Coordinates of all heavy atoms in Angstrom, one line a residue:
M152 N 52.4 -17.4 -10.1 CA 51.1 -17.3 -9.5 C 51.2 -17.8 -8.1 O 52.0 -18.7 -7.7 CB 50.1 -18.2 -10.3 CG 48.7 -18.1 -9.7 SD 47.4 -18.9 -10.7 CE 47.7 -20.6 -10.5
I153 N 50.3 -17.3 -7.3 CA 50.2 -17.8 -5.9 C 49.7 -19.2 -5.8 O 48.8 -19.6 -6.6 CB 49.2 -16.9 -5.1 CG1 49.6 -15.4 -5.1 CG2 48.9 -17.3 -3.7 CD1 50.8 -15.1 -4.3
D154 N 50.2 -20.0 -4.9 CA 49.8 -21.4 -4.7 C 48.3 -21.3 -4.3 O 47.9 -20.7 -3.3 CB 50.6 -22.0 -3.6 CG 50.2 -23.4 -3.3 OD1 49.2 -23.9 -3.9 OD2 50.9 -24.0 -2.5
P155 N 47.4 -22.0 -5.1 CA 46.0 -21.9 -4.8 C 45.7 -22.3 -3.3 O 44.7 -21.8 -2.7 CB 45.4 -22.9 -5.8 CG 46.3 -22.9 -6.9 CD 47.7 -22.7 -6.3
S156 N 46.4 -23.2 -2.8 CA 46.1 -23.7 -1.4 C 46.5 -22.6 -0.4 O 46.0 -22.6 0.7 CB 46.9 -25.0 -1.1 OG 48.3 -24.8 -1.1
Q157 N 47.3 -21.6 -0.8 CA 47.7 -20.5 0.1 C 46.9 -19.3 -0.1 O 47.0 -18.3 0.7 CB 49.2 -20.2 0.0 CG 50.1 -21.4 0.4 CD 49.9 -21.8 1.8 OE1 49.9 -20.9 2.7 NE2 49.7 -23.0 2.1
A158 N 46.2 -19.2 -1.2 CA 45.4 -18.0 -1.6 C 44.4 -17.6 -0.5 O 44.3 -16.4 -0.2 CB 44.8 -18.2 -2.9
I159 N 43.7 -18.5 0.1 CA 42.7 -18.1 1.1 C 43.4 -17.6 2.3 O 42.9 -16.6 2.9 CB 41.8 -19.3 1.4 CG1 40.5 -18.8 2.1 CG2 42.4 -20.4 2.1 CD1 39.6 -18.0 1.3
A160 N 44.5 -18.1 2.8 CA 45.2 -17.6 3.9 C 45.7 -16.2 3.7 O 45.7 -15.3 4.6 CB 46.4 -18.5 4.3
Q161 N 46.2 -15.9 2.5 CA 46.7 -14.6 2.1 C 45.5 -13.6 2.0 O 45.7 -12.5 2.4 CB 47.5 -14.7 0.9 CG 48.8 -15.4 1.1 CD 49.6 -15.7 -0.2 OE1 49.0 -15.8 -1.3 NE2 50.9 -15.7 -0.1
T162 N 44.4 -14.1 1.6 CA 43.2 -13.3 1.5 C 42.8 -12.9 2.9 O 42.5 -11.7 3.2 CB 42.1 -14.0 0.8 OG1 42.5 -14.3 -0.5 CG2 40.8 -13.2 0.8
I163 N 42.8 -13.8 3.8 CA 42.4 -13.5 5.2 C 43.4 -12.5 5.8 O 42.9 -11.5 6.4 CB 42.5 -14.8 6.1 CG1 41.4 -15.8 5.7 CG2 42.4 -14.5 7.6 CD1 41.5 -17.2 6.3
A164 N 44.7 -12.6 5.6 CA 45.6 -11.7 6.1 C 45.4 -10.2 5.6 O 45.4 -9.3 6.3 CB 47.0 -12.1 5.7
I165 N 45.1 -10.1 4.3 CA 44.8 -8.8 3.7 C 43.5 -8.2 4.3 O 43.5 -7.0 4.7 CB 44.7 -8.9 2.2 CG1 46.1 -9.1 1.6 CG2 44.1 -7.6 1.6 CD1 46.0 -9.5 0.1
I166 N 42.5 -9.0 4.4 CA 41.2 -8.5 4.9 C 41.3 -8.2 6.4 O 40.8 -7.1 6.8 CB 40.1 -9.5 4.6 CG1 39.8 -9.5 3.1 CG2 38.8 -9.1 5.3 CD1 38.9 -10.6 2.6
E167 N 41.9 -9.0 7.2 CA 42.0 -8.7 8.6 C 42.9 -7.5 8.9 O 42.7 -6.8 9.9 CB 42.5 -10.0 9.4 CG 41.5 -11.0 9.5 CD 41.9 -12.3 10.3 OE1 43.1 -12.5 10.5 OE2 41.0 -13.0 10.7
A168 N 43.9 -7.3 8.0 CA 44.8 -6.1 8.2 C 44.1 -4.8 8.0 O 44.4 -3.8 8.7 CB 46.0 -6.2 7.3
A169 N 43.2 -4.8 7.0 CA 42.5 -3.5 6.7 C 41.2 -3.8 6.0 O 41.0 -3.7 4.8 CB 43.4 -2.7 5.7
P170 N 40.2 -4.2 6.8 CA 38.9 -4.7 6.3 C 38.1 -3.6 5.5 O 37.3 -3.9 4.7 CB 38.1 -5.1 7.5 CG 38.8 -4.6 8.7 CD 40.2 -4.3 8.3
E171 N 38.5 -2.3 5.7 CA 37.8 -1.3 5.0 C 38.4 -0.9 3.7 O 37.9 0.0 2.9 CB 37.6 0.0 5.9 CG 38.9 0.7 6.2 CD 39.9 -0.1 7.1 OE1 39.6 -1.0 7.8 OE2 41.1 0.3 7.0
S172 N 39.6 -1.5 3.3 CA 40.3 -1.1 2.2 C 39.6 -1.6 0.9 O 38.9 -2.6 0.9 CB 41.7 -1.6 2.2 OG 41.7 -3.0 2.1
A173 N 40.0 -1.0 -0.2 CA 39.4 -1.4 -1.5 C 39.9 -2.8 -1.8 O 39.1 -3.6 -2.3 CB 39.9 -0.5 -2.6
A174 N 41.1 -3.2 -1.5 CA 41.6 -4.5 -1.8 C 40.8 -5.6 -1.0 O 40.4 -6.6 -1.5 CB 43.1 -4.6 -1.4
A175 N 40.6 -5.3 0.3 CA 39.8 -6.2 1.2 C 38.4 -6.4 0.6 O 37.9 -7.5 0.5 CB 39.8 -5.7 2.6
L176 N 37.8 -5.3 0.3 CA 36.4 -5.4 -0.2 C 36.3 -6.1 -1.6 O 35.4 -6.9 -1.8 CB 35.7 -4.0 -0.2 CG 35.6 -3.4 1.1 CD1 35.1 -1.9 1.0 CD2 34.7 -4.2 2.0
T177 N 37.3 -5.9 -2.4 CA 37.3 -6.6 -3.7 C 37.5 -8.1 -3.5 O 36.9 -8.9 -4.1 CB 38.4 -6.0 -4.6 OG1 38.1 -4.6 -4.8 CG2 38.5 -6.7 -5.9
L178 N 38.5 -8.4 -2.7 CA 38.7 -9.9 -2.4 C 37.5 -10.5 -1.7 O 37.2 -11.7 -2.0 CB 40.0 -10.0 -1.6 CG 41.3 -9.7 -2.3 CD1 42.5 -9.7 -1.4 CD2 41.5 -10.7 -3.5
Y179 N 36.9 -9.8 -0.8 CA 35.7 -10.3 -0.2 C 34.6 -10.5 -1.2 O 33.9 -11.6 -1.2 CB 35.2 -9.3 0.9 CG 34.0 -9.8 1.6 CD1 34.0 -10.8 2.5 CD2 32.8 -9.1 1.4 CE1 32.9 -11.3 3.2 CE2 31.6 -9.6 2.1 CZ 31.7 -10.6 2.9 OH 30.6 -11.1 3.6
A180 N 34.4 -9.6 -2.1 CA 33.4 -9.8 -3.2 C 33.8 -11.0 -4.0 O 32.9 -11.8 -4.4 CB 33.4 -8.6 -4.1
L181 N 35.0 -11.2 -4.3 CA 35.4 -12.4 -5.1 C 35.1 -13.7 -4.3 O 34.6 -14.6 -4.9 CB 36.9 -12.3 -5.5 CG 37.5 -13.5 -6.3 CD1 36.7 -13.8 -7.6 CD2 38.9 -13.3 -6.5
V182 N 35.6 -13.7 -3.1 CA 35.3 -14.9 -2.3 C 33.8 -15.3 -2.2 O 33.4 -16.4 -2.4 CB 35.9 -14.7 -0.8 CG1 35.4 -15.8 0.1 CG2 37.4 -14.8 -0.9
T183 N 33.0 -14.2 -2.0 CA 31.6 -14.4 -1.9 C 31.0 -14.9 -3.2 O 30.2 -15.8 -3.3 CB 30.9 -13.1 -1.4 OG1 31.5 -12.8 -0.2 CG2 29.4 -13.3 -1.3
T184 N 31.5 -14.3 -4.3 CA 31.0 -14.7 -5.6 C 31.3 -16.1 -6.0 O 30.6 -16.8 -6.6 CB 31.6 -13.7 -6.7 OG1 31.2 -12.4 -6.4 CG2 31.1 -14.1 -8.1
L185 N 32.5 -16.6 -5.6 CA 33.0 -17.9 -5.9 C 32.0 -19.0 -5.3 O 32.0 -20.1 -5.8 CB 34.4 -18.2 -5.5 CG 35.5 -17.4 -6.3 CD1 36.8 -17.6 -5.6 CD2 35.5 -17.9 -7.7
E186 N 31.3 -18.6 -4.2 CA 30.4 -19.5 -3.6 C 29.1 -19.7 -4.3 O 28.3 -20.6 -4.0 CB 30.1 -19.1 -2.1 CG 31.4 -19.1 -1.3 CD 31.1 -18.8 0.2 OE1 30.2 -17.9 0.5 OE2 31.6 -19.5 1.0
Y187 N 28.9 -18.9 -5.3 CA 27.6 -19.0 -6.1 C 27.8 -19.6 -7.4 O 27.6 -18.9 -8.5 CB 26.9 -17.6 -6.1 CG 26.5 -17.1 -4.8 CD1 27.2 -16.2 -4.0 CD2 25.3 -17.7 -4.2 CE1 26.9 -15.9 -2.8 CE2 24.9 -17.3 -2.9 CZ 25.7 -16.4 -2.2 OH 25.3 -16.0 -1.0
D188 N 28.1 -20.8 -7.5 CA 28.4 -21.5 -8.7 C 27.1 -21.5 -9.6 O 27.2 -21.4 -10.8 CB 28.8 -23.0 -8.4 CG 29.3 -23.7 -9.7 OD1 29.9 -23.0 -10.5 OD2 29.1 -24.9 -9.8
R189 N 26.0 -21.7 -9.1 CA 24.7 -21.8 -9.9 C 24.5 -20.5 -10.6 O 23.8 -20.4 -11.6 CB 23.5 -22.1 -9.0 CG 23.5 -23.6 -8.6 CD 22.2 -23.9 -8.0 NE 22.5 -24.9 -7.0 CZ 21.6 -25.3 -6.0 NH1 20.5 -24.7 -5.9 NH2 21.9 -26.2 -5.1
A190 N 24.9 -19.4 -10.0 CA 24.7 -18.1 -10.6 C 25.8 -17.7 -11.6 O 25.9 -16.6 -12.1 CB 24.6 -17.0 -9.5
G191 N 26.7 -18.7 -11.8 CA 27.8 -18.4 -12.8 C 29.0 -17.7 -12.2 O 29.9 -17.3 -13.0
R192 N 29.0 -17.6 -10.9 CA 30.2 -16.9 -10.3 C 30.5 -15.6 -10.9 O 31.6 -15.3 -11.3 CB 31.4 -17.8 -10.3 CG 31.2 -19.1 -9.5 CD 32.5 -19.9 -9.5 NE 32.3 -21.1 -8.6 CZ 33.2 -22.0 -8.6 NH1 34.3 -22.0 -9.3 NH2 33.0 -23.0 -7.7
L193 N 29.5 -14.8 -11.0 CA 29.6 -13.5 -11.7 C 30.4 -12.5 -10.9 O 29.9 -12.0 -9.9 CB 28.2 -13.0 -12.1 CG 27.4 -13.8 -13.0 CD1 26.0 -13.3 -13.2 CD2 28.1 -14.0 -14.4
F194 N 31.6 -12.2 -11.3 CA 32.4 -11.2 -10.7 C 32.9 -10.2 -11.7 O 33.4 -10.6 -12.8 CB 33.6 -11.9 -10.0 CG 34.6 -11.0 -9.4 CD1 34.3 -10.4 -8.1 CD2 35.8 -10.6 -10.0 CE1 35.2 -9.6 -7.5 CE2 36.7 -9.7 -9.4 CZ 36.4 -9.2 -8.2
K195 N 32.7 -9.0 -11.5 CA 33.1 -7.9 -12.5 C 34.7 -7.9 -12.5 O 35.3 -7.4 -11.6 CB 32.5 -6.6 -12.1 CG 32.7 -5.6 -13.1 CD 31.9 -4.3 -12.7 CE 32.0 -3.3 -13.8 NZ 31.2 -2.1 -13.5
L196 N 35.2 -8.4 -13.6 CA 36.7 -8.5 -13.7 C 37.4 -7.2 -13.7 O 38.5 -7.1 -13.3 CB 37.0 -9.3 -14.9 CG 36.6 -10.8 -14.9 CD1 37.0 -11.4 -16.2 CD2 37.3 -11.5 -13.8
S197 N 36.7 -6.1 -14.1 CA 37.3 -4.8 -14.0 C 37.7 -4.4 -12.6 O 38.6 -3.6 -12.4 CB 36.4 -3.7 -14.6 OG 35.2 -3.6 -13.9
K198 N 37.0 -5.0 -11.6 CA 37.4 -4.7 -10.2 C 38.8 -5.2 -9.8 O 39.3 -4.8 -8.8 CB 36.3 -5.4 -9.2 CG 34.9 -4.8 -9.4 CD 34.9 -3.3 -9.1 CE 35.1 -3.0 -7.7 NZ 35.2 -1.5 -7.5
L199 N 39.3 -6.1 -10.6 CA 40.7 -6.6 -10.4 C 41.7 -5.4 -10.5 O 42.8 -5.4 -9.9 CB 41.1 -7.7 -11.3 CG 40.4 -9.0 -11.1 CD1 40.7 -10.0 -12.3 CD2 40.7 -9.6 -9.8
G200 N 41.3 -4.3 -11.2 CA 42.1 -3.1 -11.3 C 42.3 -2.4 -10.0 O 43.1 -1.6 -9.8
D201 N 41.4 -2.7 -9.0 CA 41.5 -2.1 -7.7 C 42.6 -2.7 -6.8 O 42.9 -2.3 -5.7 CB 40.2 -2.2 -6.9 CG 39.1 -1.3 -7.5 OD1 39.4 -0.4 -8.3 OD2 37.9 -1.6 -7.3
L202 N 43.2 -3.8 -7.3 CA 44.2 -4.6 -6.6 C 45.5 -4.3 -7.2 O 45.7 -4.0 -8.3 CB 43.9 -6.1 -6.7 CG 42.5 -6.6 -6.2 CD1 42.3 -8.0 -6.6 CD2 42.3 -6.3 -4.8
S203 N 46.5 -4.4 -6.3 CA 47.9 -4.4 -6.7 C 48.2 -5.6 -7.5 O 47.5 -6.6 -7.5 CB 48.9 -4.3 -5.5 OG 48.9 -5.5 -4.8
A204 N 49.4 -5.7 -8.2 CA 49.8 -6.9 -8.9 C 49.9 -8.1 -8.0 O 49.4 -9.2 -8.4 CB 51.1 -6.6 -9.6
E205 N 50.4 -7.9 -6.8 CA 50.5 -9.0 -5.9 C 49.1 -9.5 -5.4 O 48.9 -10.7 -5.3 CB 51.3 -8.6 -4.7 CG 51.5 -9.7 -3.6 CD 52.3 -9.3 -2.4 OE1 53.1 -8.3 -2.6 OE2 52.1 -9.9 -1.4
Q206 N 48.2 -8.5 -5.2 CA 46.9 -8.9 -4.7 C 46.1 -9.6 -5.9 O 45.3 -10.5 -5.6 CB 46.1 -7.7 -4.2 CG 46.7 -7.1 -3.0 CD 46.3 -5.7 -2.7 OE1 45.9 -5.0 -3.6 NE2 46.4 -5.3 -1.4
R207 N 46.4 -9.2 -7.1 CA 45.7 -9.9 -8.2 C 46.2 -11.3 -8.3 O 45.4 -12.2 -8.6 CB 46.0 -9.1 -9.6 CG 45.1 -7.9 -9.8 CD 45.2 -7.4 -11.2 NE 46.5 -7.1 -11.7 CZ 47.1 -5.9 -11.4 NH1 46.5 -5.0 -10.7 NH2 48.3 -5.7 -11.9
Q208 N 47.4 -11.6 -8.0 CA 47.9 -12.9 -8.0 C 47.2 -13.8 -6.9 O 46.8 -14.9 -7.2 CB 49.4 -13.0 -7.7 CG 50.3 -12.4 -8.8 CD 50.0 -13.2 -10.1 OE1 50.1 -14.4 -10.2 NE2 49.8 -12.4 -11.2
I209 N 46.8 -13.1 -5.8 CA 46.0 -13.8 -4.8 C 44.6 -14.1 -5.3 O 44.1 -15.2 -5.1 CB 46.0 -13.0 -3.5 CG1 47.4 -12.9 -2.9 CG2 45.0 -13.6 -2.5 CD1 47.6 -11.9 -1.8
A210 N 44.1 -13.1 -6.0 CA 42.7 -13.3 -6.6 C 42.7 -14.5 -7.6 O 41.8 -15.3 -7.6 CB 42.3 -12.0 -7.3
Y211 N 43.8 -14.5 -8.4 CA 43.9 -15.6 -9.4 C 44.0 -16.9 -8.7 O 43.5 -18.0 -9.1 CB 45.1 -15.4 -10.3 CG 45.0 -14.1 -11.1 CD1 46.2 -13.4 -11.4 CD2 43.8 -13.5 -11.5 CE1 46.2 -12.2 -12.1 CE2 43.8 -12.3 -12.2 CZ 45.0 -11.7 -12.5 OH 45.0 -10.5 -13.2
G212 N 44.8 -16.9 -7.6 CA 44.9 -18.1 -6.8 C 43.6 -18.6 -6.2 O 43.3 -19.8 -6.1
L213 N 42.8 -17.6 -5.8 CA 41.4 -18.0 -5.3 C 40.6 -18.6 -6.4 O 39.9 -19.6 -6.1 CB 40.7 -16.8 -4.7 CG 41.2 -16.2 -3.4 CD1 40.5 -14.8 -3.2 CD2 40.9 -17.1 -2.3
M214 N 40.7 -18.1 -7.6 CA 39.9 -18.6 -8.7 C 40.4 -20.1 -9.0 O 39.6 -21.0 -9.2 CB 40.0 -17.7 -9.9 CG 39.2 -16.4 -9.7 SD 39.3 -15.4 -11.2 CE 40.4 -14.1 -10.7
E215 N 41.7 -20.2 -9.0 CA 42.3 -21.5 -9.3 C 41.9 -22.5 -8.2 O 41.6 -23.7 -8.5 CB 43.8 -21.4 -9.4 CG 44.5 -22.7 -9.8 CD 44.2 -23.2 -11.2 OE1 43.7 -22.5 -12.0 OE2 44.5 -24.4 -11.4
R216 N 41.9 -22.1 -6.9 CA 41.5 -23.0 -5.8 C 40.1 -23.4 -6.0 O 39.8 -24.6 -5.8 CB 41.7 -22.3 -4.5 CG 41.4 -23.2 -3.3 CD 41.1 -22.4 -2.0 NE 41.1 -23.3 -0.9 CZ 40.1 -24.1 -0.5 NH1 39.0 -24.1 -1.2 NH2 40.2 -24.8 0.6
S217 N 39.2 -22.5 -6.5 CA 37.8 -22.9 -6.7 C 37.7 -24.0 -7.7 O 36.8 -24.9 -7.6 CB 37.0 -21.7 -7.1 OG 37.2 -21.3 -8.4
V218 N 38.6 -24.1 -8.7 CA 38.6 -25.1 -9.7 C 39.3 -26.4 -9.3 O 38.7 -27.5 -9.4 CB 39.3 -24.6 -11.0 CG1 39.4 -25.7 -12.0 CG2 38.5 -23.4 -11.6
V219 N 40.4 -26.2 -8.6 CA 41.2 -27.4 -8.2 C 40.7 -28.1 -7.0 O 40.5 -29.3 -6.9 CB 42.7 -27.0 -8.1 CG1 43.6 -28.2 -7.6 CG2 43.3 -26.5 -9.4
E220 N 40.5 -27.3 -5.9 CA 40.1 -27.9 -4.6 C 38.6 -27.7 -4.3 O 38.1 -28.3 -3.4 CB 40.9 -27.2 -3.5 CG 42.4 -27.4 -3.6 CD 43.2 -26.7 -2.5 OE1 42.7 -26.7 -1.4 OE2 44.3 -26.2 -2.9
G221 N 38.0 -26.8 -5.1 CA 36.6 -26.6 -4.8 C 36.3 -25.6 -3.7 O 37.2 -25.1 -3.1
I222 N 35.1 -25.3 -3.5 CA 34.6 -24.4 -2.5 C 33.7 -25.1 -1.6 O 32.9 -26.0 -2.0 CB 33.8 -23.2 -3.2 CG1 34.6 -22.5 -4.3 CG2 33.2 -22.3 -2.2 CD1 35.8 -21.8 -3.8
G223 N 33.8 -24.7 -0.3 CA 32.9 -25.3 0.7 C 33.5 -26.4 1.6 O 32.8 -26.9 2.4
D224 N 34.7 -26.7 1.4 CA 35.4 -27.7 2.2 C 35.6 -27.0 3.6 O 35.4 -25.8 3.7 CB 36.7 -28.2 1.6 CG 37.7 -27.0 1.5 OD1 37.3 -26.0 0.9 OD2 38.9 -27.2 1.9
P225 N 35.9 -27.8 4.6 CA 36.1 -27.2 6.0 C 37.1 -26.0 6.0 O 36.8 -25.0 6.7 CB 36.6 -28.4 6.8 CG 36.0 -29.6 6.1 CD 36.1 -29.3 4.7
A226 N 38.2 -26.1 5.3 CA 39.1 -25.0 5.3 C 38.5 -23.7 4.7 O 38.7 -22.6 5.3 CB 40.4 -25.4 4.6
W227 N 37.7 -23.9 3.7 CA 37.1 -22.7 3.0 C 36.0 -22.1 4.0 O 36.0 -20.9 4.2 CB 36.4 -23.1 1.7 CG 35.8 -22.0 1.0 CD1 34.5 -21.6 1.2 CD2 36.4 -21.1 0.1 NE1 34.2 -20.5 0.4 CE2 35.4 -20.2 -0.3 CE3 37.6 -21.0 -0.5 CZ2 35.6 -19.2 -1.2 CZ3 37.8 -20.0 -1.4 CH2 36.8 -19.1 -1.7
V228 N 35.2 -23.0 4.6 CA 34.2 -22.5 5.5 C 34.7 -21.8 6.7 O 34.2 -20.7 7.0 CB 33.3 -23.7 6.0 CG1 32.3 -23.3 7.0 CG2 32.5 -24.3 4.8
E229 N 35.8 -22.3 7.2 CA 36.4 -21.6 8.4 C 37.0 -20.3 7.9 O 36.9 -19.2 8.6 CB 37.6 -22.5 9.0 CG 38.3 -21.8 10.1 CD 39.4 -22.7 10.7 OE1 39.3 -23.9 10.6 OE2 40.3 -22.1 11.2
A230 N 37.7 -20.3 6.8 CA 38.3 -19.0 6.3 C 37.2 -18.0 6.0 O 37.3 -16.8 6.3 CB 39.1 -19.3 5.0
K231 N 36.1 -18.4 5.4 CA 35.0 -17.5 5.0 C 34.4 -16.9 6.3 O 34.1 -15.7 6.3 CB 33.9 -18.2 4.2 CG 32.7 -17.4 3.8 CD 33.1 -16.3 2.9 CE 31.9 -15.6 2.2 NZ 30.9 -15.2 3.0
A232 N 34.3 -17.7 7.3 CA 33.8 -17.2 8.6 C 34.7 -16.1 9.2 O 34.2 -15.1 9.6 CB 33.6 -18.3 9.6
R233 N 36.0 -16.3 9.1 CA 36.9 -15.3 9.6 C 36.8 -14.0 8.7 O 36.9 -12.9 9.3 CB 38.4 -15.8 9.5 CG 38.7 -16.7 10.7 CD 40.2 -17.1 10.6 NE 41.1 -16.0 10.8 CZ 42.4 -16.2 10.8 NH1 43.0 -17.3 10.5 NH2 43.2 -15.1 11.0
I234 N 36.7 -14.2 7.4 CA 36.6 -13.1 6.5 C 35.3 -12.3 6.8 O 35.3 -11.1 6.9 CB 36.7 -13.5 5.1 CG1 38.1 -14.0 4.8 CG2 36.2 -12.4 4.1 CD1 38.2 -14.8 3.4
D235 N 34.2 -13.0 7.0 CA 32.9 -12.3 7.3 C 33.0 -11.5 8.6 O 32.6 -10.4 8.6 CB 31.8 -13.4 7.4 CG 31.3 -14.0 6.1 OD1 31.5 -13.3 5.1 OD2 30.8 -15.1 6.2
R236 N 33.7 -12.1 9.6 CA 33.8 -11.4 10.9 C 34.7 -10.1 10.7 O 34.3 -9.1 11.3 CB 34.4 -12.3 12.0 CG 33.4 -13.3 12.5 CD 34.0 -14.0 13.8 NE 35.2 -14.7 13.5 CZ 35.4 -16.0 13.1 NH1 34.3 -16.7 12.8 NH2 36.5 -16.5 12.9
A237 N 35.7 -10.2 10.0 CA 36.6 -9.1 9.8 C 35.9 -8.0 9.0 O 36.0 -6.8 9.4 CB 37.9 -9.5 9.0
I238 N 35.2 -8.3 8.0 CA 34.4 -7.3 7.2 C 33.3 -6.7 8.0 O 33.1 -5.5 8.0 CB 33.8 -7.9 5.9 CG1 35.0 -8.3 4.9 CG2 32.8 -7.0 5.3 CD1 35.7 -7.2 4.3
R239 N 32.7 -7.4 8.8 CA 31.6 -6.9 9.7 C 32.1 -6.3 10.9 O 31.3 -5.7 11.7 CB 30.6 -8.0 10.0 CG 29.8 -8.5 8.7 CD 28.8 -9.5 9.0 NE 28.0 -9.8 7.8 CZ 28.2 -10.8 7.0 NH1 29.2 -11.7 7.3 NH2 27.5 -11.0 6.0
G240 N 33.3 -6.4 11.3 CA 33.9 -5.8 12.4 C 33.5 -6.4 13.7 O 33.4 -5.7 14.8
V241 N 33.3 -7.7 13.7 CA 32.9 -8.4 15.0 C 34.0 -9.4 15.4 O 34.8 -9.8 14.7 CB 31.6 -9.2 14.8 CG1 30.4 -8.2 14.8 CG2 31.5 -10.1 13.6

């Protein structure tokens, strides 16, 4: 499994490389969903099928990071801002 502390950096790399790709949009949806703890972090797990085996490992690392390190720390906030900019093309 991907080291949870590295999962967000790898997510940024995938999204910035090809923000319009299915993998980028799926990882973006997961990152965004992880921020909504009160809503139960509802993510359609069948969307993991849109990812390669390596990309699924990154997704699992993101989920593990949310449990181990939490969401909303400065590193997460900075990464999320980069991801948002890449997806929006700004």
Side-chain angles (χ1 to χ4, degrees):
M152 181 171 73
I153 299 293
D154 179 356
S156 64
Q157 296 300 312
I159 195 71
Q161 293 173 328
T162 300
I163 291 168
I165 289 170
I166 292 174
E167 288 182 341
E171 69 290 338
S172 69
L176 296 174
T177 299
L178 289 170
Y179 180 70
L181 177 59
V182 166
T183 301
T184 301
L185 289 172
E186 294 187 321
Y187 293 100
D188 189 37
R189 287 190 213 164
R192 296 180 175 175
L193 298 174
F194 178 79
K195 190 172 182 178
L196 293 176
S197 63
K198 295 303 291 174
L199 293 172
D201 292 340
L202 302 174
S203 69
E205 181 180 335
Q206 293 163 340
R207 278 193 304 277
Q208 292 300 310
I209 294 168
Y211 304 146
L213 287 170
M214 290 183 252
E215 183 67 14
R216 186 195 192 283
S217 75
V218 173
V219 175
E220 297 178 38
I222 303 296
D224 63 310
W227 181 273
V228 172
E229 180 182 332
K231 180 64 167 51
R233 280 183 68 182
I234 290 168
D235 286 337
R236 285 191 301 274
I238 290 293
R239 291 184 174 98
V241 285

